[in-house]
Amino acid sequence: MRALVVDETGEGAVFRMADVPQPLRVQDEVLVRVIAAGVNPIDRKTKLGRGVSAAIPSYPAILGLDFAGVVEEVPYAAHPLKVGDRVYGMGRVPRMTGTYAEVVSIPSMSVAPMPIGTGFVEAAGIPCAALTAWGAVVDVARAHDGQRMLIHAGAGGVGHFAVQLATYFGAQVTATGSPRNADFLRSLGAQQVIDHTSERFEEVAGEQDVVIDLIGNVIDDTGTRSLDVIRRGGLIVNVPTKSWPTMAEEAAARGIRATGFVVSPDARTLSVISRLVDDGAIRVHVDEVFPLEQGETAHTRLGGGHVRGKLVLRVADDPE
């Protein structure tokens, strides 16, 4: 099969197209013909030698977590998924080969039927980002009516789902973003939008119950500054791993609860997200689509920042 691979990780790593063996389906896995694959920051971090690169067992390696495609093989005849079903989900790179390829074999509990009215490209942009947002906003922060929640980088991949989910569950959402994304953030449900290029959010956000930190201290000490707006006993949820090593100590000194978050590829939660997409309660925004062969260009674009929503790789044409 055709796949986008790397022969090493690190600052000098580049993608190339290659013919590689098709993965063998085993145990509870579902074999899926990939039509589109989402591009996530963790993919780029891994390519650059961070992320989960230390666990890659051999090269060439196939990266990519998100996929949308068509089922080709199932574990047994009475399996809930059938050959020909349109599905999407999230894999576990590097424990298995990634989704930047024509075929993937994914555990059943990580595969869900696609939202009914959503195409493959849009569906491929949902799993990792939406599941991360759900975990941070719903499972950890327990978004609810009247809760005041600040979401950093609200127009990004995880952020644009976080804003929508927090709003859906009744929270009063403040989001940080660039001026060009102000109207976009309001359309997602943000009641207050803070221009991070001209305003210090800690001076204008007001007191918050929760901060969903999608930046950390890697940019302008965003994490530490967030503690200034959280009420005593409130909560900060930091998502980018290793972006704020001193979070726990700093938060505890202020009487604020703090936790990181790591996403799980859970098809049960993804099925709930599918229903919200079908109902029009949340939506995915795909900023740009690249053919698989231009994966390097897609990663360069992602690394440059300013992506609204998601980037997606087109792996194959839609089935007839």
Side-chain angles (χ1 to χ4, degrees):
M1 68 174 183
R2 295 167 60 251
L4 191 68
V5 305
V6 288
D7 296 306
E8 62 178 349
T9 58
E11 293 297 331
V14 294
F15 285 115
R16 66 177 177 88
M17 292 299 298
D19 288 323
V20 300
Q22 180 172 304
L24 179 66
R25 192 200 65 75
V26 297
Q27 300 294 329
D28 72 319
E29 292 176 358
V30 176
L31 200 70
V32 178
R33 176 70 56 179
V34 178
I35 305 300
V39 179
N40 292 289
I42 186 63
D43 304 336
R44 177 169 170 77
K45 290 179 182 178
T46 298
K47 176 176 176 284
L48 294 177
R50 303 189 298 274
V52 297
S53 62
I56 293 176
S58 62
Y59 294 91
I62 305 172
L63 305 184
L65 296 178
D66 288 339
F67 68 90
V70 179
V71 173
E72 290 205 334
E73 292 182 18
V74 294
Y76 52 90
H79 194 272
L81 297 174
K82 306 299 180 186
V83 172
D85 282 356
R86 299 183 174 210
V87 296
Y88 73 148
M90 175 183 165
R92 285 187 181 274
V93 172
R95 300 305 186 194
M96 58 186 63
T97 57
T99 62
Y100 295 176
E102 292 182 317
V103 178
V104 292
S105 194
I106 302 289
S108 293
M109 292 304 293
S110 298
V111 184
M114 281 171 40
I116 296 171
T118 302
F120 290 100
V121 166
E122 291 75 19
I126 295 174
C128 182
L131 286 169
T132 302
W134 181 281
V137 170
V138 182
D139 291 339
V140 177
R142 300 188 181 279
H144 58 267
D145 287 344
Q147 185 184 49
R148 296 158 298 178
M149 185 178 295
L150 170 62
I151 299 172
H152 288 306
V158 175
H160 87 297
F161 284 116
V163 170
Q164 293 177 84
L165 288 169
T167 299
Y168 178 81
F169 284 100
Q172 299 173 10
V173 177
T174 297
T176 62
S178 65
R180 79 178 188 91
N181 286 321
D183 289 342
F184 175 66
L185 286 165
R186 293 188 185 94
S187 75
L188 299 177
Q191 295 176 326
Q192 180 183 12
V193 177
I194 298 173
D195 174 7
H196 70 80
T197 68
S198 64
E199 298 176 292
R200 302 293 284 181
F201 67 82
E202 64 270 33
E203 297 175 356
V204 296
E207 188 178 67
Q208 302 288 320
D209 298 304
V210 176
V211 170
I212 305 298
D213 174 21
L214 303 176
I215 299 175
N217 272 1
V218 296
I219 299 177
D220 199 19
D221 290 335
T222 298
T224 296
R225 290 164 51 214
S226 295
L227 300 178
D228 292 338
V229 306
I230 303 174
R231 65 170 175 81
R232 189 171 184 83
L235 172 68
I236 185 162
V237 184
N238 172 260
V239 174
T241 56
K242 300 182 180 180
S243 63
W244 183 13
T246 59
M247 175 185 67
E249 295 83 359
E250 291 185 49
R254 307 278 286 272
I256 294 169
R257 295 172 293 141
T259 182
F261 177 77
V262 178
V263 65
S264 297
D266 181 5
R268 293 168 297 183
T269 301
L270 194 56
S271 293
V272 176
I273 292 170
S274 292
R275 290 198 292 272
L276 294 179
V277 173
D278 285 335
D279 291 343
I282 62 174
R283 58 187 170 90
V284 60
H285 178 85
V286 175
D287 206 19
E288 193 169 357
V289 182
F290 300 84
L292 182 62
E293 294 81 359
Q294 293 181 17
E296 185 68 32
T297 303
H299 272 237
T300 299
R301 168 84 200 283
L302 184 66
H306 310 296
V307 175
R308 178 184 292 178
K310 293 299 301 290
L311 303 179
V312 172
L313 299 178
R314 164 71 78 172
V315 179
D317 294 334
D318 287 3
E320 306 225 347

